[in-house]
Amino acid sequence: MKKKGPASQFSQSKSFLLLKEASSARNHYRRRRCMPKRKKKSLGKKGENKGECILVDRISELPDEILFSIVSLLPLKEAAATSVLSKRWQYVWTSTTTLNFDAKFEVHENLWRFFQMKPELKELETRRYVDWVNTVVEQHRSPAIERFRVCSSINSRFTSSTDKWIHYAMSKRVQILELVFRFDFVTPYPELYQFPHKLLGLKNDSTSKLTHMHSDIPILHSCGSNVGFKFLKVLHFQYVDVTGEVLEYFLSNCQVLERLTVNSAMNLVKLRVVGPLIALKYLDIQWCAVLESIEIHDATNLVSFIYKGGAINLLLSNVPLLVEVSISERLVASFHIEGHYYFKSIELPFSQLSSCLSQLEVLMLDIEGAMYNENHVFPVLANLKHLELIVTANNRGALCHLNSFMKASPCLRRLVLKFGFSGFEGIRKKKRVGKCPHPNLKLVEIVGYRADICVVKQVMYLMKNATALEKLVIDPVRRWEYPSELYPNEKDRGVEQVKEEVEARDHAMQQLKGKVSSTIEFVCL
């Protein structure tokens, strides 16, 4: 049976109907408003010739470059649907410079629900997705593309197709390459797609699995030719088995690479970002299970650094432009006190960031479960304007930590507290927290709010000490616990959690709002 092309596949879609409707309205408008009045022909003796109206399609007369730009602004399926408008439009979509194969249009609007589908249905939908990408790539005709994004539940079973996609994107001088694969926590990690070392001319010594499954793709040399990685500005890997050797190759050879994001790479052990010639500005490394160390040295262009995962050896030096840092280290060394385990995580990030703390303007730290150490001297965060903390709400030391951060950040303007809850309460002895008037803090956001005495105390402490406070935002939903595209709706979050959110919202409106000064804007989401 002959495969249907993109145009026929999507011809009955909602987008197609809207385009057809718009086309009809456009022609009607031209007849009534835009076109010249009817040009009457000379009438014969019997008046048999009547006036005629000549219609002209002004949009289709635009140059190809403008049409390509217009279509590139549309989602890929809507762009393909324009092929049915006329012969002039039949192949316009094949020259779009943006190829965004986002699975939320193909599989399900809610990826959370997709993961709850039966395995055979997920497999079927993924194969349909792969066929869709293959069909578009085969028909695409643009000499260059700005963005190539694949977003679906792809694993090693589709290695051959994925290898070809990468090779195709690089041959088209891609600027943004995103392999955002999804993981349903049922598929075993060994089935993750492995980035093809051969594409870079590298030997795959660090990991040998899946080597036999790779297609025989040619090597693309980066800077010595007019194709390959010379134009790459953004690189995003998620659930792609990529090694430090591959990442360092990209950093060293892609002279305009500004943004690198790596999420859940199972064989990434060490990463070095070293040298003033590296153009990298944004580095984001998250949940790489075996990662041991990150070394950033002489990265003179680096502006933002994000790390989430287990405790690692983080070495930072000579990063003069680094002003935004987010550190969330879990599974760090713990010690036992009075039958409870506490994570000693508060001092670690300060030690790792010691060379750049004074220049930071944005700092995000996960100190959930950290025990308060009254002997620890907080460094001065002289330029800090935005602070986000993930804390344990029912940990009595959380207020002490908050007090210390307020004292250490005299220029702070925005504070975001994200509250989690655990089974322990932190310090046993009640610690007195003195006044700490803060003249610059204007916005406070409380995320994951609950009617817990420790939470209420921290909110009251802020209202008393933030003398310039202008706005207080209360949000009972713990949105940071999931990626934005995976965050479940109320039905999927569970009855108990939604009930807690409703009770917290009611408490904020009935008990907390009345205690807020009339000069402070109170918002409860």
Side-chain angles (χ1 to χ4, degrees):
M1 185 175 181
K2 189 177 180 180
K3 289 186 178 179
K4 295 181 178 180
S8 59
Q9 288 180 17
F10 311 136
S11 61
Q12 298 301 321
S13 67
K14 181 178 180 181
S15 302
F16 167 75
L17 295 176
L18 290 173
L19 283 167
K20 190 173 182 181
E21 197 173 296
S23 178
S24 176
R26 180 191 63 195
N27 291 335
H28 177 73
Y29 179 79
R30 287 187 181 132
R31 285 197 298 269
R32 297 296 300 274
R33 301 288 182 185
C34 298
M35 294 296 100
K37 294 183 179 180
R38 292 182 179 181
K39 186 177 180 180
K40 295 183 179 181
K41 292 185 177 181
S42 58
L43 298 177
K45 293 182 180 181
K46 297 182 179 180
E48 61 271 14
N49 290 329
K50 297 183 178 180
E52 292 184 358
C53 178
I54 301 174
L55 300 181
V56 180
D57 186 353
R58 301 291 187 189
I59 294 180
S60 297
E61 290 181 349
L62 293 172
D64 288 345
E65 293 75 12
I66 295 180
L67 293 182
F68 297 159
S69 299
I70 294 173
V71 173
S72 295
L73 298 174
L74 297 173
L76 191 54
K77 285 192 175 182
E78 279 73 2
T82 62
S83 62
V84 302
L85 293 177
S86 66
K87 289 184 178 180
R88 175 72 174 84
W89 286 84
Q90 187 173 359
Y91 298 107
V92 169
W93 76 272
T94 63
S95 295
T96 178
T97 58
T98 300
L99 294 179
N100 182 6
F101 301 96
D102 200 326
K104 68 182 180 180
F105 299 111
E106 183 67 13
V107 184
H108 204 288
E109 292 183 1
N110 191 327
L111 199 57
W112 179 269
R113 293 182 179 177
F114 168 71
F115 285 155
Q116 295 177 333
M117 294 171 62
K118 293 180 179 180
E120 57 271 19
L121 292 178
K122 286 192 290 187
E123 178 75 11
L124 178 61
E125 293 292 348
T126 302
R127 289 193 178 277
R128 288 177 178 172
Y129 177 88
V130 171
D131 290 341
W132 172 43
V133 178
N134 285 333
T135 301
V136 172
V137 167
E138 290 171 3
Q139 298 186 25
H140 193 255
R141 303 191 303 185
S142 177
I145 54 177
E146 295 180 4
R147 185 185 188 192
F148 188 93
R149 172 183 169 87
V150 179
C151 177
S152 185
S153 182
I154 301 292
N155 52 41
S156 62
R157 293 193 295 277
F158 305 97
T159 293
S160 179
S161 292
T162 311
D163 285 353
K164 292 177 182 177
W165 300 342
I166 297 173
H167 182 265
Y168 174 80
M170 289 306 166
S171 69
K172 296 293 184 177
R173 298 177 292 179
V174 68
Q175 297 180 33
I176 302 174
L177 176 62
E178 299 172 276
L179 302 181
V180 183
F181 298 155
R182 303 304 184 189
F183 190 74
D184 55 11
F185 303 101
V186 176
T187 304
Y189 280 115
E191 292 191 15
L192 293 183
Y193 168 75
Q194 183 186 34
F195 188 88
H197 288 63
K198 183 177 180 179
L199 188 68
L200 309 177
L202 300 174
K203 291 183 179 180
N204 189 5
D205 296 328
S206 58
T207 174
S208 60
K209 68 184 181 63
L210 305 180
T211 303
H212 65 283
M213 301 182 66
H214 287 303
S215 58
D216 189 17
I217 55 177
I219 298 172
L220 286 179
H221 297 288
S222 60
C223 299
S225 66
N226 61 352
V227 295
F229 310 103
K230 184 177 180 180
F231 302 91
L232 193 61
K233 295 180 180 179
V234 177
L235 185 61
H236 185 179
F237 291 135
Q238 179 168 306
Y239 286 112
V240 174
D241 192 357
V242 63
T243 64
E245 184 182 19
V246 169
L247 297 178
E248 290 169 25
Y249 179 93
F250 279 110
L251 291 171
S252 299
N253 291 278
C254 301
Q255 297 181 359
V256 294
L257 182 63
E258 295 185 351
R259 188 181 296 268
L260 174 63
T261 301
V262 181
N263 192 319
S264 303
M266 294 301 107
N267 276 291
L268 180 59
V269 180
K270 296 180 180 180
L271 177 62
R272 297 178 74 249
V273 183
V274 178
L277 297 180
I278 293 178
L280 195 68
K281 294 182 178 180
Y282 306 92
L283 177 62
D284 186 345
I285 307 295
Q286 300 189 29
W287 310 121
C288 297
V290 299
L291 184 62
E292 296 177 357
S293 66
I294 298 178
E295 180 183 353
I296 304 175
H297 179 63
D298 290 336
T300 55
N301 294 304
L302 191 66
V303 173
S304 174
F305 172 61
I306 298 174
Y307 174 73
K308 293 182 181 180
I312 61 170
N313 185 21
L314 177 60
L315 303 174
L316 279 170
S317 63
N318 193 21
V319 281
L321 299 182
L322 185 63
V323 294
E324 178 178 330
V325 171
S326 176
I327 302 289
S328 177
E329 290 183 295
R330 299 293 181 91
L331 303 177
V332 296
S334 60
F335 52 94
H336 189 267
I337 295 180
E338 297 183 7
H340 297 285
Y341 281 96
Y342 300 96
F343 293 106
K344 187 179 180 180
S345 59
I346 188 79
E347 292 93 343
L348 182 60
F350 286 140
S351 174
Q352 294 171 332
L353 301 173
S354 59
S355 65
C356 60
L357 280 174
S358 61
Q359 66 196 49
L360 293 184
E361 297 180 7
V362 179
L363 178 61
M364 292 165 274
L365 291 179
D366 183 350
I367 60 172
E368 190 172 11
M371 191 184 77
Y372 178 69
N373 180 5
E374 59 184 2
N375 296 319
H376 175 244
V377 179
F378 270 61
V380 177
L381 305 170
N383 288 298
L384 193 66
K385 297 177 178 62
H386 179 143
L387 175 64
E388 291 189 20
L389 297 174
I390 299 178
V391 300
T392 305
N394 51 338
N395 183 349
R396 294 171 184 168
L399 182 57
C400 298
H401 279 143
L402 177 59
N403 183 61
S404 298
F405 273 105
M406 294 279 283
K407 290 179 179 178
S409 312
C411 296
L412 190 64
R413 293 180 175 273
R414 180 182 180 187
L415 173 66
V416 181
L417 294 180
K418 301 176 179 180
F419 286 108
F421 289 80
S422 64
F424 60 88
E425 297 181 351
I427 57 178
R428 292 285 184 176
K429 296 181 180 179
K430 186 175 180 180
K431 298 287 184 180
R432 295 189 62 182
V433 177
K435 292 183 179 181
C436 178
H438 198 290
N440 295 309
L441 184 58
K442 297 182 181 300
L443 173 60
V444 170
E445 299 177 43
I446 307 296
V447 186
Y449 178 83
R450 294 293 184 273
D452 183 271
I453 186 171
C454 292
V455 177
V456 175
K457 282 184 177 181
Q458 292 184 66
V459 176
M460 298 305 299
Y461 166 85
L462 290 169
M463 287 193 292
K464 290 179 180 179
N465 289 278
T467 56
L469 188 62
E470 297 176 353
K471 187 175 182 179
L472 174 63
V473 180
I474 304 295
D475 185 358
V477 183
R478 297 171 187 160
R479 306 178 193 279
W480 77 93
E481 294 182 346
Y482 299 89
S484 58
E485 70 274 17
L486 286 179
Y487 195 84
N489 56 31
E490 288 192 3
K491 181 180 179 181
D492 295 323
R493 288 205 299 274
V495 176
E496 196 62 33
Q497 184 172 342
V498 173
K499 182 180 178 181
E500 290 181 3
E501 294 168 2
V502 172
E503 292 176 350
R505 195 172 288 109
D506 291 342
H507 180 272
M509 294 300 295
Q510 297 174 12
Q511 303 295 328
L512 192 60
K513 185 177 181 180
K515 300 177 182 180
V516 178
S517 170
S518 59
T519 60
I520 300 174
E521 180 184 358
F522 181 85
V523 178
C524 185
L525 302 178

